[in-house]
Amino acid sequence: MSASTRIFLDTTVQIERVTATRACQEEIVRALVGAQVITSTYVLGEYLRTLVQDALVLYNLVLQTEQPHDVETRIAQLLNKKSASRCLLLWASLHRAGVYEPANLLRTLRVYIEYGLINRFMVGIDELLDATACGLAREHPAPQGETYRLRTQCTRLVKECDLAERLAEHRPHLRTLADGLKDHPDAALARTGVFCARLLEDPDVARGRNCTWYLGDLVIALELPSDAALYTTNRRHFEPLCSLLGRQIYTPQT
Amino acid sequence: MMELRLSVTEARNRLPVLVGEVAEGKNQVVITTRNEPKAVIIGYEAFQRQQRLRVQGAWRVLTELVSEAQALLRTTQEGCRGEGEPDLYLFLVSFADLLRDIWEAGEEVSQAHASIASELLDVNRIYLAGDDRLRPEQLAPLAHVLTLLTRRELTMEDAAQADRYLLSHGINAMFPVQGDLVALYDEQEPEPA
């Protein structure tokens, strides 16, 4: 990549930078060398409520389980399968770093939770965009008794971000997406199109919807600067959005 | 101060009185099961005093161990100034033993001390067991972070800063990747104060 290339890292790539196979991590490192690397506080908010929250779940599982191999069983039994999958990725990361004994597992997870994961989020980042002023991005895991607490939900009733204001500035883009996605064969993308149409009428409905992936992808696609390419593993959802908005997209190959 | 030995049942029946007595420093109560001492009830002030002594003891041990590790690092750095490519394997083996003890003492002193020690231990383990080789020029950043442990007051932000500092020198303790992480940085982070 040349120094003039700007690459925006989305949440999936930020998670891959920590938990992917070594080959994939190395590919990401190589892809970013020489480029101007950017991400956003909105992505950080998503990262906190996914990977960092999962590290808290894993920490609790290790704390409650006598035998380390039972942790894998408990992960498999988690109701949220996406969270279970990320917990397994974190578990694999611990083993990749040579951590196996319960005391070491807890110790290393504490370091992940306290600062390790957030430091890795910021590795090599040249610019952190803060257009949405996401309130959840300012949260940090706080010790509570033997474990930690992290606020990962916001509500529409309490205004703690500028998401609605930013979306209101993107009316032409929202119109393009609403028109372009309304008959999309992928039901999830069609829902995104319907949601864009609702946002045109009332941008405030975006607040407090932090758990809906289709809003997250939409916000990231809209906050992506026009001169930057999006680096994501989620090509399926982002390609139609970026194509309609005229943005470039990259995906790791390994 | 008297030491009372009571079974669980006896202690349960007299608990309110016992709590008052230990709080006033009259008694220390040893709880037994099948005549084996299993737990102790002591006054909160006495408990706090013991905690302070424990931390002071751990702090003394920690500083001694860090001095020993610093001396080992210095000798190794001097050895590296000679001819040829040095083999740092033996250094890592000795360093690992010291770091394990440093981490244990650090756990008693503060969470930040424990975290920094834990990172150094992870670095050591990665270079001992992984494919990457520790380079002589990486000894200096390791020595710098080790020295942080001699500061009595450390915060978790200091630990996070130490982690970023190690990363900026290509030392990736937690999520090892073969590849040059330093290349991602335009400038090296300033040394943590």
Side-chain angles (χ1 to χ4, degrees), chain A residues 17-19 22 25-26 28-30 32-34 37 90 93-94 96-99 101 103-104 107-108 110-112 114-117 119-120 122-126 143 148, chain B residues 103 107 111-112 114-119 121-122 125-126 130-132 156-157 159-164 167 171-181 183-186:
Chain A
R17 290 212 296 169
V18 177
T19 62
R22 282 190 187 209
Q25 289 192 43
E26 283 155 24
I28 295 170
V29 169
R30 278 195 300 274
L32 300 181
V33 169
V37 185
L90 281 169
S93 294
L94 289 164
R96 194 176 295 129
V99 183
E101 315 112 69
N104 275 353
R107 169 175 64 80
T108 308
R110 276 199 298 272
V111 173
Y112 280 20
E114 290 276 349
Y115 58 80
L117 289 170
N119 272 2
R120 289 314 176 279
M122 292 306 298
V123 166
I125 299 296
D126 297 303
Y148 292 88
Chain B
W103 169 54
E107 288 257 288
Q111 201 189 342
S115 292
I116 293 175
S118 135
E119 274 217 45
L121 195 54
D122 283 344
R125 188 180 46 233
I126 285 161
D131 303 327
D132 270 358
M156 288 307 282
E157 182 45 43
Q161 210 184 337
D163 174 51
R164 288 195 291 272
L167 268 170
I171 302 172
N172 185 354
M174 275 175 268
F175 305 104
V177 180
Q178 275 190 306
D180 196 358
L181 277 166
L184 292 176
Y185 286 81
D186 285 333

Side-chain angles (χ1 to χ4, degrees), chain B residues 6-184:
Chain B
L6 299 174
S7 70
V8 174
T9 314
E10 289 168 328
R12 190 167 45 216
N13 292 340
R14 294 170 54 186
L15 194 59
V17 176
L18 292 175
V19 168
E21 286 174 357
V22 295
E24 286 168 23
K26 288 182 189 163
N27 290 329
Q28 274 190 344
V29 181
V30 178
I31 313 283
T32 59
T33 51
R34 295 193 185 94
N35 290 326
E36 286 289 313
K38 293 289 179 190
V40 179
I41 307 178
I42 58 168
Y44 187 61
E45 273 184 23
F47 168 73
Q48 282 184 311
R49 201 166 45 246
Q50 286 182 12
Q51 289 285 93
R52 275 196 302 274
L53 287 172
R54 193 165 58 89
V55 172
Q56 279 168 12
W59 173 243
R60 240 190 334 267
V61 171
L62 178 71
T63 47
E64 280 167 17
L65 287 165
V66 169
S67 300
E68 214 177 310
Q70 283 173 317
L72 176 66
L73 261 165
R74 260 195 312 275
T75 316
T76 311
Q77 279 175 299
E78 279 159 19
C80 288
R81 288 193 195 106
E83 293 284 307
E85 184 71 17
D87 183 359
L88 294 172
Y89 181 80
L90 285 177
F91 156 73
L92 288 168
V93 172
S94 313
F95 203 40
D97 288 339
L98 279 167
L99 287 174
R100 212 166 292 118
D101 294 342
I102 288 172
W103 169 54
E104 278 177 10
E107 288 257 288
E108 300 290 332
V109 174
S110 82
Q111 201 189 342
H113 286 86
S115 292
I116 293 175
S118 135
E119 274 217 45
L120 289 171
L121 195 54
D122 283 344
V123 170
N124 199 82
R125 188 180 46 233
I126 285 161
Y127 283 121
L128 258 181
D131 303 327
D132 270 358
R133 288 253 179 273
L134 178 68
R135 299 193 300 271
E137 63 270 25
Q138 288 174 322
L139 293 172
L142 285 182
H144 186 83
V145 171
L146 186 68
T147 305
L148 281 183
L149 290 171
T150 58
R151 270 172 44 190
R152 182 67 185 84
E153 299 301 323
L154 280 178
T155 63
M156 288 307 282
E157 182 45 43
D158 293 323
Q161 210 184 337
D163 174 51
R164 288 195 291 272
Y165 174 72
L166 287 175
L167 268 170
S168 73
H169 286 84
I171 302 172
N172 185 354
M174 275 175 268
F175 305 104
V177 180
Q178 275 190 306
D180 196 358
L181 277 166
V182 181
L184 292 176

Side-chain angles (χ1 to χ4, degrees), chain A:
Chain A
M1 294 279 172
S2 74
S4 59
T5 310
R6 294 182 87 201
I7 296 184
F8 183 101
L9 306 188
D10 87 330
T11 319
T12 62
V13 164
Q14 285 284 21
I15 292 174
E16 292 279 298
R17 290 212 296 169
V18 177
T19 62
T21 60
R22 282 190 187 209
C24 183
Q25 289 192 43
E26 283 155 24
E27 185 196 332
I28 295 170
V29 169
R30 278 195 300 274
L32 300 181
V33 169
Q36 197 197 357
V37 185
I38 53 181
T39 190
S40 72
T41 53
Y42 189 82
V43 172
L44 175 59
E46 282 202 336
Y47 180 86
L48 284 167
R49 67 172 170 269
T50 50
L51 195 65
V52 178
Q53 177 66 24
D54 296 328
L56 264 62
V57 171
L58 189 56
Y59 182 78
N60 281 328
L61 291 183
V62 177
L63 206 59
Q64 294 160 8
T65 313
E66 280 181 23
Q67 297 295 328
H69 52 261
D70 287 341
V71 172
E72 286 152 39
T73 311
R74 297 285 305 277
I75 293 172
Q77 290 165 344
L78 288 174
L79 292 176
N80 182 337
K81 294 305 169 199
K82 280 189 174 171
S83 172
S85 149
R86 286 188 301 261
C87 282
L88 266 184
L89 289 171
L90 281 169
W91 188 244
S93 294
L94 289 164
H95 287 179
R96 194 176 295 129
V99 183
Y100 293 96
E101 315 112 69
N104 275 353
L105 287 165
L106 287 171
R107 169 175 64 80
T108 308
L109 277 168
R110 276 199 298 272
V111 173
Y112 280 20
I113 291 165
E114 290 276 349
Y115 58 80
L117 289 170
I118 294 170
N119 272 2
R120 289 314 176 279
F121 181 94
M122 292 306 298
V123 166
I125 299 296
D126 297 303
E127 191 182 351
L128 183 68
L129 305 178
D130 190 26
T132 59
C134 172
L136 291 178
R138 293 188 287 271
E139 292 292 324
H140 192 272
Q144 189 174 56
E146 270 195 309
T147 61
Y148 292 88
R149 184 190 60 80
L150 175 65
R151 189 174 68 94
T152 57
Q153 299 279 328
C154 58
T155 75
R156 201 176 307 167
L157 302 173
V158 182
K159 185 180 182 316
E160 55 174 334
C161 69
D162 295 338
L163 184 55
E165 289 81 352
R166 291 295 85 76
L167 287 171
E169 289 167 5
H170 284 285
R171 288 186 66 82
H173 289 137
L174 284 172
R175 169 62 57 206
T176 306
L177 293 172
D179 293 344
L181 296 174
K182 67 179 176 195
D183 297 320
H184 200 280
D186 184 328
L189 284 163
R191 276 177 71 195
T192 304
V194 171
F195 189 58
C196 288
R198 281 194 64 198
L199 285 171
L200 280 165
E201 289 166 19
D202 180 10
D204 274 344
V205 297
R207 283 213 314 264
R209 285 180 174 255
N210 49 62
C211 285
T212 52
W213 70 262
Y214 56 94
L215 171 69
D217 291 353
L218 179 66
V219 172
I220 289 168
L222 289 174
E223 72 176 351
L224 179 65
S226 56
D227 61 345
L230 179 68
Y231 200 13
T232 178
T233 65
N234 186 3
R235 185 168 273 275
R236 181 184 145 210
H237 288 148
F238 273 113
E239 199 157 43
L241 296 175
C242 288
S243 153
L244 285 165
L245 296 172
R247 303 283 195 268
Q248 252 189 301
I249 183 168
Y250 284 114
T251 310
Q253 300 302 308
T254 38

